[in-house]
Amino acid sequence: MHTLHTAAALVTARGDLDLCTAPELRRRLSAALRAYREVVLDLAGVEFMDCSGLGALVHAQNQADRLGARLILRGAGPRVLRLLKLTGLNRRLIVEA
């Protein structure tokens, strides 16, 4: 049986979330969600995000839903927030200032 930790995990992303970097973010979020009930993704250092980055976030949210965990996006800048709003993902994901 796998026991989840009660503390939150912090995953930090920086630079570009794109085709080259999204797979690593996906792996890191997946591992954190398997180990913790709550995972905070710090997006303050993200300058650019494309559909691959969005896909990593959706994948992580789906995994969180399956596991009964929470994924929280924190510190997203104006460009990332705009992208989340344009795609409607701001209504699907927990986004904090």
Side-chain angles (χ1 to χ4, degrees):
M1 175 178 256
H2 190 281
T3 304
L4 293 177
H5 298 285
T6 56
L10 176 64
V11 176
T12 302
R14 289 189 178 91
D16 295 344
L17 286 180
D18 57 19
L19 186 62
C20 295
T21 59
E24 177 61 24
L25 177 63
R26 193 173 179 166
R27 282 190 292 276
R28 290 173 50 211
L29 288 172
S30 183
L33 286 164
R34 285 192 307 270
Y36 293 87
R37 289 205 179 278
E38 185 171 286
V39 174
V40 175
L41 174 59
D42 181 357
L43 295 170
V46 173
E47 299 168 9
F48 171 81
M49 183 186 303
D50 70 6
C51 61
S52 300
L54 290 174
L57 298 181
V58 170
H59 181 269
Q61 183 60 57
N62 290 339
Q63 181 181 359
D65 291 344
R66 284 191 309 273
L67 295 173
R70 285 182 43 162
L71 174 65
I72 300 167
L73 308 183
R74 190 170 288 159
R79 288 181 175 178
V80 173
L81 287 174
R82 183 170 185 263
L83 184 58
L84 293 172
K85 287 178 185 174
L86 285 172
T87 59
L89 287 174
N90 63 316
R91 293 185 303 269
R92 168 89 167 93
L93 304 168
I94 299 170
V95 181
E96 295 181 351

Coordinates of all heavy atoms in Angstrom, one line a residue:
M1 N 0.8 -1.2 0.0 CA 0.0 0.0 0.0 C 0.9 1.2 0.0 O 1.9 1.3 0.7 CB -0.9 0.0 1.2 CG -1.7 1.2 1.4 SD -2.8 1.2 2.8 CE -4.3 0.8 1.9
H2 N 0.5 2.2 -0.7 CA 1.2 3.5 -0.9 C 0.6 4.5 0.1 O -0.6 4.8 0.0 CB 1.1 3.9 -2.3 CG 2.1 5.1 -2.6 ND1 1.8 6.3 -2.3 CD2 3.3 5.1 -3.3 CE1 2.8 7.1 -2.7 NE2 3.7 6.4 -3.3
T3 N 1.4 5.1 0.9 CA 0.9 6.1 1.9 C 1.4 7.5 1.4 O 2.5 7.7 1.1 CB 1.5 5.9 3.3 OG1 1.2 4.5 3.7 CG2 1.0 6.9 4.3
L4 N 0.4 8.4 1.3 CA 0.7 9.7 0.8 C 1.1 10.6 2.0 O 0.6 10.5 3.1 CB -0.5 10.3 0.2 CG -1.0 9.7 -1.1 CD1 -2.3 10.4 -1.6 CD2 0.0 9.8 -2.2
H5 N 2.1 11.5 1.8 CA 2.5 12.4 2.8 C 1.4 13.5 2.9 O 0.7 13.8 2.0 CB 3.8 13.1 2.4 CG 5.0 12.1 2.2 ND1 5.6 11.6 3.3 CD2 5.5 11.6 1.2 CE1 6.5 10.8 2.9 NE2 6.5 10.8 1.6
T6 N 1.3 14.1 4.1 CA 0.3 15.1 4.3 C 0.8 16.5 4.0 O 0.0 17.4 3.7 CB -0.2 15.1 5.8 OG1 0.9 15.2 6.6 CG2 -0.9 13.8 6.1
A7 N 2.1 16.7 4.0 CA 2.6 18.0 3.6 C 2.5 18.2 2.1 O 2.4 17.3 1.3 CB 4.1 18.1 4.1
A8 N 2.6 19.5 1.7 CA 2.6 19.8 0.3 C 4.0 19.7 -0.3 O 5.0 20.0 0.3 CB 2.0 21.2 0.1
A9 N 4.0 19.3 -1.6 CA 5.2 19.3 -2.3 C 5.3 20.6 -3.2 O 4.3 21.1 -3.6 CB 5.3 18.1 -3.3
L10 N 6.5 21.1 -3.4 CA 6.7 22.3 -4.2 C 7.5 21.9 -5.4 O 8.6 21.4 -5.3 CB 7.4 23.4 -3.4 CG 7.7 24.7 -4.2 CD1 6.4 25.3 -4.7 CD2 8.6 25.6 -3.4
V11 N 6.9 22.1 -6.6 CA 7.6 21.9 -7.9 C 7.8 23.3 -8.5 O 6.8 24.1 -8.6 CB 6.9 21.0 -8.8 CG1 7.6 20.8 -10.1 CG2 6.7 19.6 -8.1
T12 N 9.0 23.6 -8.9 CA 9.3 25.0 -9.5 C 9.6 24.8 -10.9 O 10.5 24.0 -11.3 CB 10.5 25.6 -8.7 OG1 10.1 25.7 -7.3 CG2 10.7 27.0 -9.2
A13 N 9.0 25.6 -11.7 CA 9.3 25.7 -13.2 C 9.9 27.0 -13.5 O 9.5 28.0 -13.0 CB 8.0 25.4 -14.0
R14 N 10.9 27.0 -14.4 CA 11.5 28.3 -14.9 C 11.7 28.3 -16.4 O 11.8 27.2 -17.0 CB 12.9 28.4 -14.2 CG 12.8 28.7 -12.7 CD 14.2 29.0 -12.1 NE 14.0 29.3 -10.7 CZ 14.2 28.4 -9.8 NH1 14.4 27.2 -10.0 NH2 14.1 28.8 -8.5
G15 N 11.8 29.5 -16.9 CA 12.1 29.6 -18.3 C 10.9 29.3 -19.2 O 9.8 29.7 -19.0
D16 N 11.2 28.5 -20.2 CA 10.1 28.1 -21.2 C 9.5 26.7 -20.9 O 10.3 25.8 -20.6 CB 10.7 28.1 -22.6 CG 11.1 29.4 -23.1 OD1 10.8 30.4 -22.5 OD2 11.9 29.5 -24.1
L17 N 8.2 26.6 -20.9 CA 7.6 25.3 -20.8 C 7.1 25.0 -22.2 O 6.0 25.5 -22.7 CB 6.4 25.3 -19.8 CG 6.7 25.4 -18.4 CD1 5.5 25.4 -17.5 CD2 7.6 24.2 -18.0
D18 N 7.9 24.2 -22.9 CA 7.6 23.9 -24.3 C 7.9 22.5 -24.6 O 8.0 21.6 -23.7 CB 8.4 24.9 -25.2 CG 9.9 24.8 -25.0 OD1 10.4 23.8 -24.4 OD2 10.6 25.7 -25.4
L19 N 7.9 22.1 -25.9 CA 8.1 20.8 -26.3 C 9.4 20.1 -25.7 O 9.4 18.9 -25.4 CB 8.2 20.7 -27.9 CG 8.3 19.4 -28.6 CD1 7.0 18.6 -28.3 CD2 8.5 19.6 -30.0
C20 N 10.4 20.9 -25.5 CA 11.6 20.4 -24.9 C 11.6 20.2 -23.4 O 12.2 19.2 -22.9 CB 12.8 21.3 -25.3 SG 13.1 21.4 -27.0
T21 N 10.9 21.0 -22.7 CA 10.9 21.0 -21.3 C 9.7 20.4 -20.6 O 9.7 19.9 -19.5 CB 11.1 22.4 -20.7 OG1 10.0 23.2 -21.1 CG2 12.4 23.0 -21.1
A22 N 8.6 20.3 -21.4 CA 7.3 19.8 -20.8 C 7.4 18.3 -20.3 O 6.8 18.0 -19.3 CB 6.2 20.0 -21.8
P23 N 8.1 17.4 -21.0 CA 8.2 16.1 -20.5 C 8.8 15.9 -19.2 O 8.4 15.2 -18.3 CB 9.0 15.3 -21.6 CG 8.8 16.1 -22.9 CD 8.7 17.6 -22.4
E24 N 9.8 16.8 -18.9 CA 10.5 16.7 -17.6 C 9.5 17.3 -16.5 O 9.4 16.7 -15.4 CB 11.8 17.5 -17.6 CG 12.4 17.6 -16.2 CD 12.9 16.2 -15.6 OE1 13.1 15.3 -16.4 OE2 13.0 16.1 -14.4
L25 N 8.8 18.3 -16.8 CA 7.8 18.9 -15.9 C 6.7 17.8 -15.6 O 6.4 17.6 -14.4 CB 7.2 20.1 -16.4 CG 6.1 20.7 -15.5 CD1 6.6 21.1 -14.1 CD2 5.4 21.9 -16.2
R26 N 6.3 17.1 -16.6 CA 5.3 16.1 -16.5 C 5.8 15.0 -15.5 O 5.0 14.5 -14.7 CB 5.0 15.6 -17.9 CG 3.8 14.7 -18.0 CD 3.5 14.4 -19.4 NE 2.3 13.5 -19.5 CZ 1.7 13.3 -20.6 NH1 2.2 13.8 -21.8 NH2 0.7 12.5 -20.7
R27 N 7.0 14.6 -15.7 CA 7.6 13.5 -14.8 C 7.7 14.0 -13.4 O 7.3 13.3 -12.5 CB 9.0 13.1 -15.3 CG 8.9 12.2 -16.5 CD 10.3 11.6 -16.9 NE 11.2 12.6 -17.4 CZ 11.3 13.0 -18.6 NH1 10.5 12.5 -19.5 NH2 12.2 13.9 -19.0
R28 N 8.1 15.2 -13.2 CA 8.3 15.8 -11.8 C 6.9 15.9 -11.2 O 6.8 15.6 -10.0 CB 9.0 17.1 -11.9 CG 10.5 16.9 -12.3 CD 11.2 18.2 -12.5 NE 11.1 19.2 -11.4 CZ 11.1 20.5 -11.6 NH1 11.3 21.0 -12.8 NH2 10.9 21.3 -10.5
L29 N 5.9 16.4 -11.9 CA 4.6 16.5 -11.3 C 4.0 15.2 -11.0 O 3.4 15.0 -9.9 CB 3.7 17.3 -12.2 CG 4.0 18.8 -12.3 CD1 3.1 19.5 -13.4 CD2 3.7 19.5 -11.0
S30 N 4.2 14.2 -11.9 CA 3.6 12.9 -11.7 C 4.2 12.3 -10.4 O 3.5 11.7 -9.6 CB 3.9 12.0 -12.9 OG 3.3 10.8 -12.8
A31 N 5.5 12.4 -10.3 CA 6.2 11.8 -9.1 C 5.7 12.5 -7.8 O 5.4 11.8 -6.8 CB 7.7 11.9 -9.2
A32 N 5.6 13.8 -7.8 CA 5.1 14.5 -6.7 C 3.7 14.2 -6.3 O 3.3 14.0 -5.1 CB 5.2 16.0 -6.9
L33 N 2.8 14.0 -7.3 CA 1.4 13.7 -7.1 C 1.3 12.3 -6.5 O 0.3 12.0 -5.8 CB 0.6 13.9 -8.3 CG 0.3 15.3 -8.7 CD1 -0.2 15.4 -10.1 CD2 -0.7 15.9 -7.7
R34 N 2.2 11.4 -6.9 CA 2.1 10.0 -6.3 C 2.5 10.0 -4.9 O 2.1 9.1 -4.1 CB 3.0 9.1 -7.1 CG 2.4 8.7 -8.5 CD 3.2 7.5 -9.1 NE 4.6 7.8 -9.2 CZ 5.2 8.3 -10.2 NH1 4.5 8.8 -11.3 NH2 6.5 8.5 -10.3
A35 N 3.3 11.0 -4.4 CA 3.8 11.0 -3.1 C 3.1 11.9 -2.1 O 3.2 11.7 -0.9 CB 5.3 11.3 -3.1
Y36 N 2.4 12.9 -2.6 CA 1.9 14.0 -1.8 C 0.4 14.2 -2.1 O 0.0 14.1 -3.3 CB 2.6 15.3 -1.9 CG 4.0 15.3 -1.4 CD1 5.1 14.8 -2.2 CD2 4.3 15.6 -0.1 CE1 6.4 14.8 -1.7 CE2 5.6 15.6 0.4 CZ 6.6 15.1 -0.4 OH 7.9 15.1 0.0
R37 N -0.4 14.6 -1.1 CA -1.8 14.9 -1.4 C -2.0 16.3 -2.0 O -3.0 16.5 -2.6 CB -2.6 14.9 0.0 CG -2.7 13.5 0.5 CD -4.0 13.5 1.5 NE -4.2 12.2 2.0 CZ -4.8 11.2 1.3 NH1 -5.2 11.4 0.1 NH2 -4.9 10.1 1.9
E38 N -1.0 17.1 -1.8 CA -1.1 18.5 -2.4 C 0.2 18.8 -3.1 O 1.3 18.7 -2.5 CB -1.4 19.5 -1.3 CG -1.7 20.9 -1.9 CD -2.2 21.8 -0.8 OE1 -3.4 21.7 -0.5 OE2 -1.5 22.7 -0.3
V39 N 0.2 19.3 -4.3 CA 1.4 19.7 -5.0 C 1.2 21.1 -5.5 O 0.2 21.4 -6.2 CB 1.6 18.8 -6.2 CG1 2.8 19.3 -7.1 CG2 1.9 17.3 -5.7
V40 N 2.1 22.0 -5.2 CA 2.1 23.4 -5.6 C 3.1 23.5 -6.7 O 4.3 23.2 -6.5 CB 2.4 24.3 -4.4 CG1 2.5 25.8 -4.9 CG2 1.4 24.2 -3.3
L41 N 2.7 24.0 -7.9 CA 3.6 24.3 -9.0 C 3.8 25.8 -9.0 O 2.9 26.6 -9.3 CB 3.0 23.8 -10.3 CG 3.8 24.1 -11.6 CD1 5.2 23.5 -11.5 CD2 3.0 23.6 -12.8
D42 N 5.1 26.2 -8.8 CA 5.5 27.6 -8.8 C 5.8 27.9 -10.2 O 6.8 27.5 -10.8 CB 6.6 27.8 -7.8 CG 7.1 29.2 -7.8 OD1 6.6 30.1 -8.5 OD2 8.0 29.5 -7.0
L43 N 5.0 28.8 -10.8 CA 5.2 29.2 -12.2 C 5.8 30.6 -12.3 O 5.8 31.2 -13.4 CB 3.9 29.2 -12.9 CG 3.3 27.8 -13.1 CD1 1.8 27.9 -13.6 CD2 4.1 26.9 -14.0
A44 N 6.2 31.2 -11.2 CA 6.7 32.6 -11.2 C 7.9 32.8 -12.2 O 8.0 33.9 -12.7 CB 7.1 33.0 -9.8
G45 N 8.7 31.8 -12.4 CA 9.8 31.9 -13.3 C 9.6 31.5 -14.7 O 10.5 31.5 -15.5
V46 N 8.4 31.2 -15.0 CA 8.0 30.8 -16.4 C 7.8 32.0 -17.3 O 6.9 32.9 -17.0 CB 6.8 29.9 -16.4 CG1 6.4 29.5 -17.8 CG2 7.1 28.6 -15.7
E47 N 8.5 32.1 -18.4 CA 8.4 33.2 -19.3 C 7.6 32.9 -20.5 O 7.0 33.8 -21.1 CB 9.8 33.6 -19.7 CG 10.7 34.1 -18.6 CD 12.2 34.2 -19.0 OE1 12.5 34.1 -20.2 OE2 13.0 34.3 -18.1
F48 N 7.5 31.6 -20.9 CA 6.7 31.2 -22.1 C 6.2 29.8 -21.8 O 6.8 29.0 -21.2 CB 7.7 31.2 -23.3 CG 7.1 30.6 -24.5 CD1 6.2 31.4 -25.3 CD2 7.3 29.3 -24.8 CE1 5.7 30.8 -26.4 CE2 6.8 28.7 -26.0 CZ 5.9 29.5 -26.8
M49 N 4.9 29.6 -22.3 CA 4.3 28.3 -22.3 C 3.6 28.0 -23.6 O 2.8 28.9 -24.1 CB 3.4 28.2 -21.1 CG 2.8 26.8 -21.0 SD 1.5 26.7 -19.7 CE 2.4 27.2 -18.2
D50 N 3.8 26.9 -24.2 CA 3.1 26.5 -25.4 C 2.1 25.4 -25.0 O 1.9 25.0 -23.9 CB 4.0 26.1 -26.5 CG 4.8 24.9 -26.3 OD1 4.6 24.1 -25.3 OD2 5.7 24.6 -27.2
C51 N 1.6 24.8 -26.1 CA 0.6 23.7 -25.9 C 1.2 22.5 -25.2 O 0.4 21.8 -24.5 CB -0.1 23.3 -27.2 SG 1.0 22.7 -28.4
S52 N 2.4 22.2 -25.3 CA 3.1 21.1 -24.6 C 3.1 21.4 -23.1 O 2.8 20.4 -22.3 CB 4.5 20.9 -25.1 OG 4.6 20.7 -26.5
G53 N 3.4 22.6 -22.7 CA 3.3 22.9 -21.3 C 1.9 22.8 -20.8 O 1.7 22.3 -19.7
L54 N 0.9 23.3 -21.5 CA -0.5 23.2 -21.1 C -0.9 21.7 -21.0 O -1.6 21.3 -20.1 CB -1.4 23.8 -22.1 CG -1.4 25.3 -22.2 CD1 -2.2 25.8 -23.4 CD2 -1.8 25.9 -20.9
G55 N -0.4 20.9 -21.9 CA -0.7 19.4 -21.9 C -0.1 18.8 -20.6 O -0.8 17.9 -20.0
A56 N 1.1 19.2 -20.2 CA 1.6 18.7 -18.9 C 0.8 19.1 -17.7 O 0.6 18.3 -16.8 CB 3.1 19.2 -18.7
L57 N 0.2 20.3 -17.7 CA -0.6 20.7 -16.6 C -1.9 19.9 -16.6 O -2.4 19.5 -15.6 CB -1.0 22.2 -16.8 CG 0.2 23.2 -16.7 CD1 -0.2 24.6 -16.8 CD2 1.0 22.9 -15.4
V58 N -2.5 19.7 -17.8 CA -3.8 18.9 -17.9 C -3.5 17.5 -17.4 O -4.3 16.9 -16.7 CB -4.4 19.0 -19.3 CG1 -5.5 18.0 -19.5 CG2 -4.8 20.4 -19.6
H59 N -2.4 16.9 -17.9 CA -2.1 15.5 -17.5 C -2.0 15.5 -16.0 O -2.5 14.5 -15.3 CB -0.8 15.1 -18.2 CG -0.4 13.7 -17.8 ND1 0.4 13.4 -16.8 CD2 -0.7 12.5 -18.4 CE1 0.6 12.1 -16.7 NE2 -0.1 11.6 -17.7
A60 N -1.3 16.4 -15.4 CA -1.1 16.4 -13.9 C -2.4 16.6 -13.2 O -2.7 15.9 -12.2 CB -0.1 17.5 -13.5
Q61 N -3.3 17.5 -13.7 CA -4.6 17.6 -13.1 C -5.4 16.4 -13.2 O -6.1 16.0 -12.2 CB -5.4 18.8 -13.7 CG -6.7 19.1 -13.0 CD -6.5 19.5 -11.6 OE1 -5.8 20.4 -11.3 NE2 -7.2 18.7 -10.7
N62 N -5.4 15.7 -14.3 CA -6.1 14.4 -14.4 C -5.6 13.4 -13.4 O -6.4 12.7 -12.8 CB -6.0 13.9 -15.9 CG -6.8 14.7 -16.8 OD1 -7.7 15.5 -16.4 ND2 -6.5 14.7 -18.1
Q63 N -4.3 13.3 -13.3 CA -3.7 12.4 -12.3 C -4.1 12.8 -10.9 O -4.4 11.9 -10.1 CB -2.1 12.4 -12.4 CG -1.5 11.5 -11.5 CD 0.0 11.5 -11.6 OE1 0.6 12.2 -12.4 NE2 0.7 10.7 -10.8
A64 N -4.1 14.1 -10.6 CA -4.5 14.5 -9.3 C -5.9 14.1 -9.0 O -6.2 13.6 -7.9 CB -4.3 16.0 -9.1
D65 N -6.8 14.3 -10.0 CA -8.2 13.9 -9.8 C -8.3 12.4 -9.5 O -9.1 12.0 -8.6 CB -9.0 14.2 -11.1 CG -9.2 15.7 -11.3 OD1 -8.9 16.5 -10.3 OD2 -9.5 16.1 -12.4
R66 N -7.6 11.6 -10.3 CA -7.6 10.1 -10.1 C -7.1 9.7 -8.7 O -7.6 8.8 -8.1 CB -6.8 9.4 -11.1 CG -7.4 9.3 -12.5 CD -6.6 8.4 -13.4 NE -5.2 8.6 -13.4 CZ -4.6 9.5 -14.3 NH1 -5.3 10.2 -15.1 NH2 -3.3 9.6 -14.3
L67 N -6.1 10.5 -8.2 CA -5.5 10.1 -6.9 C -6.1 10.8 -5.7 O -5.8 10.5 -4.5 CB -4.0 10.5 -6.9 CG -3.1 9.7 -7.9 CD1 -1.7 10.3 -8.0 CD2 -3.1 8.2 -7.6
G68 N -7.1 11.7 -5.9 CA -7.7 12.4 -4.8 C -6.7 13.5 -4.3 O -6.8 13.8 -3.1
A69 N -5.8 14.0 -5.1 CA -4.8 15.0 -4.7 C -5.2 16.3 -5.3 O -6.2 16.4 -6.0 CB -3.4 14.6 -5.1
R70 N -4.5 17.3 -4.9 CA -4.7 18.7 -5.4 C -3.5 19.2 -6.0 O -2.4 19.1 -5.5 CB -5.1 19.7 -4.2 CG -6.5 19.5 -3.7 CD -6.7 20.5 -2.6 NE -6.2 21.8 -3.0 CZ -6.6 22.9 -2.4 NH1 -7.5 23.0 -1.5 NH2 -6.1 24.1 -2.8
L71 N -3.7 19.8 -7.2 CA -2.6 20.5 -7.9 C -2.9 22.0 -7.9 O -4.0 22.4 -8.3 CB -2.5 20.0 -9.4 CG -1.5 20.8 -10.2 CD1 -0.1 20.6 -9.8 CD2 -1.7 20.4 -11.7
I72 N -2.0 22.8 -7.4 CA -2.2 24.2 -7.3 C -1.2 24.9 -8.1 O 0.0 24.7 -7.9 CB -2.2 24.7 -5.8 CG1 -3.2 24.0 -5.0 CG2 -2.3 26.2 -5.7 CD1 -3.1 24.1 -3.5
L73 N -1.6 25.8 -9.0 CA -0.6 26.6 -9.7 C -0.5 28.0 -9.0 O -1.5 28.6 -8.7 CB -1.2 26.9 -11.2 CG -1.6 25.6 -12.0 CD1 -2.0 26.1 -13.4 CD2 -0.5 24.6 -12.0
R74 N 0.7 28.4 -8.8 CA 1.0 29.6 -8.0 C 2.0 30.5 -8.7 O 3.0 30.0 -9.3 CB 1.5 29.2 -6.6 CG 1.5 30.4 -5.7 CD 1.8 29.9 -4.3 NE 0.7 29.2 -3.7 CZ 0.7 28.4 -2.7 NH1 1.9 28.1 -2.1 NH2 -0.4 27.8 -2.2
G75 N 1.8 31.8 -8.7 CA 2.7 32.7 -9.2 C 2.8 32.9 -10.7 O 3.8 33.4 -11.2
A76 N 1.8 32.5 -11.4 CA 1.9 32.6 -12.9 C 1.9 34.1 -13.3 O 1.1 34.9 -12.7 CB 0.7 31.9 -13.5
G77 N 2.7 34.4 -14.2 CA 2.8 35.8 -14.7 C 1.7 36.1 -15.7 O 0.9 35.2 -16.1
P78 N 1.6 37.3 -16.2 CA 0.6 37.7 -17.1 C 0.4 36.9 -18.4 O -0.7 36.6 -18.8 CB 0.9 39.2 -17.4 CG 1.9 39.6 -16.4 CD 2.6 38.4 -15.9
R79 N 1.5 36.5 -19.0 CA 1.5 35.7 -20.2 C 0.9 34.4 -20.0 O 0.1 33.9 -20.7 CB 2.9 35.6 -20.8 CG 3.4 36.8 -21.4 CD 4.8 36.6 -22.0 NE 5.2 37.7 -22.7 CZ 6.4 37.8 -23.3 NH1 7.2 36.8 -23.2 NH2 6.8 38.9 -23.9
V80 N 1.3 33.7 -18.9 CA 0.8 32.4 -18.6 C -0.7 32.5 -18.2 O -1.5 31.7 -18.6 CB 1.6 31.7 -17.5 CG1 1.0 30.4 -17.0 CG2 3.1 31.5 -18.0
L81 N -1.0 33.5 -17.4 CA -2.4 33.7 -17.0 C -3.3 33.9 -18.2 O -4.4 33.3 -18.3 CB -2.6 34.8 -16.0 CG -2.0 34.6 -14.6 CD1 -2.1 35.8 -13.8 CD2 -2.8 33.5 -13.9
R82 N -2.8 34.7 -19.1 CA -3.6 35.0 -20.3 C -3.8 33.7 -21.1 O -4.9 33.4 -21.6 CB -2.9 36.0 -21.2 CG -3.7 36.4 -22.4 CD -3.0 37.6 -23.1 NE -3.8 38.0 -24.3 CZ -3.6 37.6 -25.5 NH1 -2.5 36.9 -25.8 NH2 -4.4 38.0 -26.5
L83 N -2.8 32.9 -21.2 CA -2.9 31.6 -21.9 C -3.9 30.7 -21.2 O -4.8 30.0 -21.9 CB -1.6 30.9 -22.0 CG -1.5 29.6 -22.8 CD1 -2.0 29.8 -24.3 CD2 -0.1 29.1 -22.8
L84 N -3.9 30.6 -19.9 CA -4.8 29.8 -19.2 C -6.2 30.3 -19.4 O -7.2 29.5 -19.5 CB -4.5 29.8 -17.7 CG -3.1 29.1 -17.3 CD1 -2.8 29.3 -15.9 CD2 -3.2 27.6 -17.7
K85 N -6.4 31.6 -19.4 CA -7.8 32.1 -19.6 C -8.3 31.9 -21.0 O -9.4 31.5 -21.3 CB -7.8 33.6 -19.3 CG -7.7 33.9 -17.8 CD -7.6 35.4 -17.6 CE -7.4 35.6 -16.1 NZ -7.3 37.1 -15.7
L86 N -7.4 32.1 -22.0 CA -7.8 31.9 -23.4 C -8.2 30.4 -23.7 O -9.1 30.2 -24.5 CB -6.6 32.2 -24.4 CG -6.3 33.7 -24.5 CD1 -5.1 33.9 -25.3 CD2 -7.5 34.4 -25.2
T87 N -7.6 29.5 -23.0 CA -7.9 28.1 -23.2 C -9.0 27.6 -22.3 O -9.5 26.5 -22.4 CB -6.6 27.2 -23.0 OG1 -6.1 27.4 -21.7 CG2 -5.6 27.5 -24.0
G88 N -9.4 28.4 -21.3 CA -10.4 28.0 -20.3 C -9.9 27.2 -19.2 O -10.6 26.7 -18.3
L89 N -8.6 26.9 -19.2 CA -8.0 26.1 -18.2 C -8.0 26.8 -16.8 O -7.8 26.1 -15.8 CB -6.6 25.6 -18.6 CG -6.5 24.6 -19.7 CD1 -5.1 24.3 -20.1 CD2 -7.2 23.3 -19.2
N90 N -8.1 28.1 -16.8 CA -8.2 28.8 -15.5 C -9.5 28.3 -14.7 O -9.5 28.5 -13.5 CB -8.2 30.3 -15.7 CG -9.4 30.8 -16.4 OD1 -9.8 30.2 -17.5 ND2 -10.0 31.8 -16.0
R91 N -10.4 27.7 -15.4 CA -11.6 27.2 -14.7 C -11.4 25.7 -14.3 O -12.2 25.2 -13.5 CB -12.8 27.4 -15.6 CG -13.2 28.8 -15.9 CD -14.5 29.0 -16.6 NE -14.5 28.3 -17.9 CZ -14.1 28.9 -19.1 NH1 -13.7 30.2 -19.1 NH2 -14.1 28.2 -20.2
R92 N -10.5 25.1 -14.9 CA -10.3 23.6 -14.6 C -9.2 23.4 -13.6 O -9.2 22.5 -12.8 CB -9.9 22.9 -16.0 CG -9.3 21.6 -15.8 CD -10.4 20.5 -15.9 NE -9.9 19.2 -16.1 CZ -9.6 18.4 -15.1 NH1 -9.8 18.7 -13.8 NH2 -9.1 17.2 -15.3
L93 N -8.2 24.3 -13.6 CA -7.1 24.2 -12.7 C -7.2 25.2 -11.5 O -7.9 26.3 -11.7 CB -5.8 24.6 -13.4 CG -5.5 23.7 -14.7 CD1 -4.4 24.3 -15.5 CD2 -5.2 22.3 -14.3
I94 N -6.6 24.9 -10.4 CA -6.6 25.8 -9.3 C -5.4 26.8 -9.5 O -4.3 26.4 -9.5 CB -6.4 25.1 -7.9 CG1 -7.6 24.1 -7.7 CG2 -6.3 26.1 -6.8 CD1 -7.3 23.2 -6.5
V95 N -5.8 28.1 -9.7 CA -4.7 29.1 -10.0 C -4.8 30.1 -8.9 O -5.8 30.8 -8.7 CB -5.0 29.7 -11.4 CG1 -3.9 30.8 -11.7 CG2 -5.1 28.7 -12.5
E96 N -3.6 30.3 -8.2 CA -3.5 31.3 -7.2 C -2.5 32.3 -7.6 O -1.6 32.1 -8.4 CB -3.0 30.6 -5.9 CG -3.9 29.6 -5.3 CD -3.4 29.0 -4.0 OE1 -2.2 29.2 -3.6 OE2 -4.2 28.3 -3.3
A97 N -2.7 33.5 -7.1 CA -1.9 34.7 -7.4 C -0.5 34.4 -6.9 O -0.2 33.7 -6.0 CB -2.4 35.9 -6.8

